[in-house]
Amino acid sequence: MATRVSIATGNFTAAATWGLVDAATANTTNSELASTLLTTTYVVGTTFTPGALTITHIGVKLATRSGTTGTMSIALDQGGATVAGTEVVINTADLPLATAGDLDGGWIFLKLASPVTLLAATLYGVKAKTSSSSQVTLFTSSGSNWSRLLVLNTTGAPAAGDDLIIAKEYTGAGTSNSFTVTMNNTASTDFGSTPTAANALIHPGVAIGSGGTLTWGTTASTNYLLKVSNSIVIYSGGTMNMGTTGTPCPRTSTMSLTFDCGTNVDYGLTVRKLGTWNAQGLSRTSGKDIYYCKLNTDEAVNSTSLGVDTDTGWLDNDVICVGTTTRVISQSETGALNGAAGASTLTVDGFAGAGGGLAAAHSGTSPLAAYIIMTTRNVKIYGASASLCAYINIRDTATVDCDWVEMYWLGSNTSTKRGVGIAVTTGTCTFHYCSRHSSTSSGSMGFLLSGATGSGVTISNNVIYQVVNGISVTATSGVATITNNIIMKGSAVHFECADSGSTYTDNVSIGSSSYGFSITENGNPLGTFERNTALAANNTNMLISGGIKGGTILDFIGYRSNGAGIQAAAASVISNLIIKNAILFGNTTCSVLINNCFNLTIDNLLSSGDTTYATTSGIGNFGTLYISTVKLINCDFSTVSGIKTAHTNDINVDTAHCQIMVMAINTKLAGTNEVATQSNLTENAFITSQKNDQTTGIHKTWKRYGTLQTETTTVHAGTTSMKCTPNNASFKLETSGAFGGFKVAILSGQTCTPTVYVYEDGSYNGARARLIVKRNDALGITADTVLDTATAASDAAWEALTGTTAAVTDNGTLEFVIDLDGTAGNLFVDTFSAVNA
């Protein structure tokens, strides 16, 4: 077990690439506990006795480079004198940008002009200074006990248990040699010194510092493997290339990076500030960047030949996952191809059904055709097992670009080790066509975006299967781009949108055990949220639980959840939100659940049940604690077509004492009950429908104590009257709709004499209708005042009600209503007029 440092550009397995570090200084002096500012006078570190060694380099660990003025000098000291040939002077401007708190400086190696042989049984110390004050700090264990390494003039190939450092060597002021180590290892050698999890970030198994590059070989038909019982850390100015965009991993080759953890998330890959990581695989077949397809034939249990809509180009033994098409999450399942994919057929095995066939039936008929994703990639990063996971942690200003990378057995509930953690702010980070799967450790995440202000993050065209949490954006500012991803069978939220200002387009959630999409950020408008789809969520396909202030959810499709299609309900008010062109069907409780929404607009919604899974209500819940105001524009509830079936209730006021104002405009309500349990409304609440059922001239209003609607048969004059149907013998139904009753403008000092006609049909069993002027204190009318009451003359005939108000005391508007009660029959109202005097 040794520590080796790159001393030349060369192959990973070549002895000449590596210089051996003096074992006595390898780990015992590798500390990041403290840091000390260099002064303009040499400060000698704690002395040590290395023995009669010949050294070629001195290494120190950079904490902070706070300035770029002047030089930094490093040397060996013996008894207060500089050891001849050991002083190296470099420009501070040549050092990488680093900050002690970010631990991103890494090792700095200064090459001696020629090897120097030290004396046996002699005390030496590393000393350091700068020519200008306040430029550089170095890490120490305490005081001036510098973290230091001595590199011997002994070379050797890496062996099991070795820790490796790749960094450039500084040879003088303004001069250095950068090194590229080509990772050509194919053996299962387990590198790394198996430190504790904390020490793995101080002396990692592979440390890539400034001017150091670990680049993986790209020879065809080669299975490259790097196995590490330790972490990998890329420091400021360091680079790891697992293929590049110009030279990706060949299709016939694989690149596998595995972390051999002894305890869950002991080890992983960390890309610190200004570090660079590229990982570039290729699609399975040239010219076919296909990462998913759909069934186009219905497949029964035990089926081993699947009809699909796309020529995928997938290969023999590629792992695929077939999504559920029911409300049963567990019916999403995984297996493999048995032979290369055909142009329209996948032959499979490895599923849990008979003969390796499907364990569940899956629909291939639109709009329920099952999604199929493929998780195999030729660049792979993974932990030791499902219970011994690794992690990936990407810091603020890192640069990361990953295409066609497979990542599994990653993540836990430990902060910074959740799976693929992305804290990028001003850096850039892209994951494209990658797969994340088989991460079931508690708290694991597919991708966790936590950069406070990051806008350079793109997560696109990826597939995620059976990861506890999918893609979580927990930052509260910045604009990440989350697009064209498919997440299947997670045990928590698939898309957690805590940064609502980000872009979410064309994503698909299948079978979340909680929510498909969860939008939680308070107080900000929704960013771009378009063409997303969720199905079979165990709770709700899309939850809006934060107080979103504006924005549009466009073209959302949500079906067959075990809760609602969309749940817009929050402790903080959701305001000025638009849901447009949504298609919601087969969701258990309702298509849209609404609570505490102000000025919510639902435009062009298609809402229904389906032939296998009924949806009780189109819109429901509403709640009791908050006022919700909703517009339904051009919506269609309960149209029967294909598998689509009608709701029992198109709008269900299913919570008592519900204070809502719902205005439906040109909306079709074709369910058994247009509005159910309207008695749960409060006295001032209402549901009104203009151009009801998309029929010209038909308008309707539901209130707690009855229903008002247009009537074309029983009329007094003209072609239309108001039909009033009460439902309570003890409380009055008033003829006031969304904007009140009959209104008359009036000047100060005037009286108003209204006239209106009423008609009771033969079934009406309520009290006689009354003409009332509503209270208006500003005009001097301090109580609701009955102006006239109907008589027997209104039985099956029109009777005029009239009366004169008191003189008003200011200019304004008076409001008049007819009130009535009863439990059967109808009262008709028509021909209102008024005269002021």
Side-chain angles (χ1 to χ4, degrees), residues 36-47:
T36 298
L37 180 67
L38 300 186
T39 66
T40 56
T41 302
Y42 266 129
V43 176
V44 180
T46 303
T47 58

Side-chain angles (χ1 to χ4, degrees), residues 529-575:
F529 196 100
E530 299 178 358
R531 299 180 304 279
N532 297 294
T533 298
L535 61 136
N538 195 48
N539 197 321
T540 292
N541 278 326
M542 181 168 65
L543 171 68
I544 309 168
S545 61
I548 299 298
K549 308 300 182 188
T552 300
I553 295 170
L554 182 64
D555 298 332
F556 178 72
I557 299 174
Y559 57 96
R560 292 192 167 181
S561 79
N562 287 290
I566 297 175
Q567 179 175 331
S572 299
V573 177
I574 298 168
S575 62

